[in-house]
Amino acid sequence: MLSKIFVQNYILIDSLEIAFDKNFSVLTGETGSGKSILLGALGLVVGNRADTSVLKSDDKKCIIEAMFDIANYDLRHYFEENEIDYDEQTVLRREISPQGKSRAFVNDTPVNLSVLRELGERLIDIHSQYETLNLSNREFQLSLVDTVAQCHEKVKEYQQEWHRLLEIQKKIEQLQAKNLEFKDKHDFLTYQYQQLKTAKLQSGELEELESEMKQLNNSELIIGNLSSIISIAQHDNGLLIELSRYEQLISELSDFLPQATEWKSRIESSKIEIQEITREVERYADSFEFDAQRLTQVSDRVSTLYDLLQKHKKHNIDELLEMQERLEKEISEFESFDVQLETLLKEESVQKSVVNKFAKEISKARIAVFPEIEQNIVELLKQLGMPHAQFKVRHQLVEPGINGIDEIRLLFSSNKQIAPDEIGKIASGGELSRLMLALKTILSDRLDLPTIIFDEIDIGVSGEIADKMARIMAQMAQNMQVISITHLPQIAAQAHKHYLVYKEIENDASTTKIRMLTDEERVMEIAQMLSGEQLGKAAIENARELLSNRTILNK
């Protein structure tokens, strides 16, 4: 149950905190006092989206906290699954900063908005005026049936299987489209692939060939220079002879100059190095020769590679090899299309069987509760002043879709001479309100929710019907916390606790406040709801009589 709510810097609220009773409570107040604002704040703390427009002061953050007593509800596993600290007095908190950043917490643990919303759905059902208008929506009606049939979890499992089927069908479509596209260019792509494959490309080959071609094109220069190097090193007056004389002269100085020994050592090292280089040059010169045929081969190969690079707009051989690999894969996939398609079609067939199995089980569960829904709604509508009400669930099997194979429409008529028709076509405002209350009454037995809040579900009714609606709400409060925002004294009188929402002017600005009324204040508030601003003795007595006739709760 909702134990307490704290709101700060939200629309017309500076700061307020209010504790709620566990039974049946009402919120009353003049139009525009801020009753719906409180409901909006509660909606934010259970996951509704928000922006900076909710800030009363632009330079402060908005904070909304709601405390729920969840001791009697099996929610510990949900907290464990989402790694949230469990507490029987659980606090949901929402913060919206002036920069528009939103943060959510459960028991001081930061959570995603989706987690906050999912937990909120397990704690509270907020009925808005829009939801009453939504009665004619097909998905809303189907959800009502699923709640009574208690097959929401089964529907979630079905939807997972349905999405798997859609994924397989999407793969089939993509494969077929790709195959169709490839058919048109198969010959061309095969030609490109064969051309690249025939070229027998090798990574780094072009660089090596260009280096070899450079040598072959400059063979005359290379041979001449090699001969000169050998001659310079080995001539009678060549480099090595001169170095030997150089070494001899330094050696003769070693008896007189200590550093001459080091010079001699360095000359010996240089001499050995030059001798080694000369031998290598001789070996290379003996093996090197100009090969005109090889030059032609290398030139042709380089030309072929550059033609391929230019043709395919690539920068290097590696990119051509990547293209060749891609083409090979595409051609292979095209050639194995029949095998791939057959595999996917088998997967689709198996998944369709799974989907149909789930859909039939869900359909069976839905159909089974139709009589119960029809009977209970009619009985409740009779209590609410519609003795001739008719309520039917129209069902039709359709092709499998996201919600199964059932098309469901709720049909209603308040007159026994008029056949039931779709709710949106036939129900008046007051009838919609009573219908919604009847449906919520049935749902409250199935949802096992701690709290339900009604936002003016009594629109379009008055007098005796309002009193009957109030008694049904009081009866619901035997098993759950019920909070109703109302303008009707009959409903306000049936509540266990009565809260007044009002405005005060502070610093030339309107501020919304709320407080629980004492017994005497409650008499005066209900009397005012009965008669308006002019309070008469009769209105006060009437208010006392309404309060004395309220339903006594058993809990």
Side-chain angles (χ1 to χ4, degrees), residues 307-538:
D307 286 345
L308 288 172
L309 288 170
Q310 187 175 10
K311 178 179 181 179
H312 298 295
K313 296 181 173 58
K314 302 300 180 185
H315 298 96
N316 51 57
I317 300 300
D318 287 341
E319 290 184 5
L320 284 176
L321 287 167
E322 289 174 7
M323 178 182 174
Q324 179 181 332
E325 184 179 354
R326 176 178 55 79
L327 288 172
E328 183 178 21
K329 184 179 177 182
E330 289 184 3
I331 293 166
S332 175
E333 286 180 354
F334 174 75
E335 291 173 350
S336 64
F337 166 74
D338 291 338
V339 176
Q340 291 184 67
L341 181 61
E342 185 180 357
T343 301
L344 285 173
L345 289 174
K346 285 180 180 177
E347 287 183 31
E348 181 190 32
S349 178
V350 170
Q351 191 61 25
K352 278 184 176 179
S353 298
V354 173
V355 166
N356 286 329
K357 180 176 178 292
F358 270 95
K360 287 176 182 177
E361 290 175 359
I362 293 167
S363 182
K364 184 178 179 181
R366 288 168 172 167
I367 293 170
V369 298
F370 291 171
E372 177 187 351
I373 293 172
E374 293 170 348
Q375 181 180 346
N376 289 342
I377 292 294
V378 167
E379 288 177 359
L380 285 166
L381 291 177
K382 285 179 180 178
Q383 293 179 40
L384 291 169
M386 288 190 275
H388 304 298
Q390 301 175 69
F391 189 87
K392 298 290 180 184
V393 181
R394 186 176 70 193
H395 173 257
Q396 182 178 352
L397 290 175
V398 294
E399 289 297 312
I402 185 65
N403 293 312
I405 55 174
D406 304 293
E407 183 178 270
I408 288 173
R409 300 298 283 161
L410 302 183
L411 308 180
F412 163 79
S413 173
S414 60
N415 192 320
K416 63 181 179 180
Q417 276 81 37
I418 299 176
D421 202 348
E422 294 184 14
I423 293 171
K425 296 179 180 178
I426 199 168
S428 66
E431 289 169 345
L432 283 173
S433 295
R434 284 178 275 179
L435 262 173
M436 180 55 82
L437 180 59
L439 289 166
K440 289 289 184 181
T441 303
I442 293 173
L443 294 178
S444 65
D445 292 334
R446 298 294 200 284
L447 289 173
D448 196 29
L449 274 171
T451 302
I452 187 168
I453 297 181
F454 293 114
D455 181 18
E456 298 188 12
I457 197 173
D458 47 35
I459 286 178
V461 300
S462 60
E464 184 182 354
I465 303 303
D467 182 68
K468 289 178 178 178
M469 289 184 77
R471 292 184 185 278
I472 287 176
M473 286 188 231
Q475 190 63 36
M476 290 173 68
Q478 300 280 359
N479 302 311
M480 65 191 307
Q481 181 187 39
V482 178
I483 300 172
S484 178
I485 295 175
T486 184
H487 286 294
L488 298 181
Q490 294 88 345
I491 290 178
Q494 283 293 324
H496 188 243
K497 298 292 181 182
H498 190 153
Y499 300 85
L500 178 66
V501 181
Y502 58 99
K503 280 184 182 177
E504 282 188 357
I505 305 299
E506 296 179 353
N507 300 321
D508 297 324
S510 295
T511 300
T512 291
K513 295 186 177 290
I514 184 173
R515 62 185 176 87
M516 189 171 74
L517 299 180
T518 64
D519 289 345
E520 192 56 35
E521 286 174 332
R522 189 174 180 185
V523 170
M524 302 307 290
E525 172 67 11
I526 292 174
Q528 195 165 36
M529 293 171 74
L530 285 164
S531 63
E533 292 185 6
Q534 299 297 324
L535 280 180
K537 192 181 241 184

Side-chain angles (χ1 to χ4, degrees), residues 100-119:
K101 184 178 179 181
S102 171
R103 297 197 300 168
F105 303 84
V106 176
N107 294 333
D108 289 327
T109 300
V111 297
N112 294 329
L113 200 60
S114 58
V115 173
L116 190 71
R117 189 180 299 115
E118 189 174 346
L119 180 58

Side-chain angles (χ1 to χ4, degrees), residues 294-306:
R294 177 58 183 167
L295 177 58
T296 302
Q297 290 175 347
V298 172
S299 298
D300 289 346
R301 180 63 174 170
V302 169
S303 178
T304 298
L305 295 178
Y306 270 112

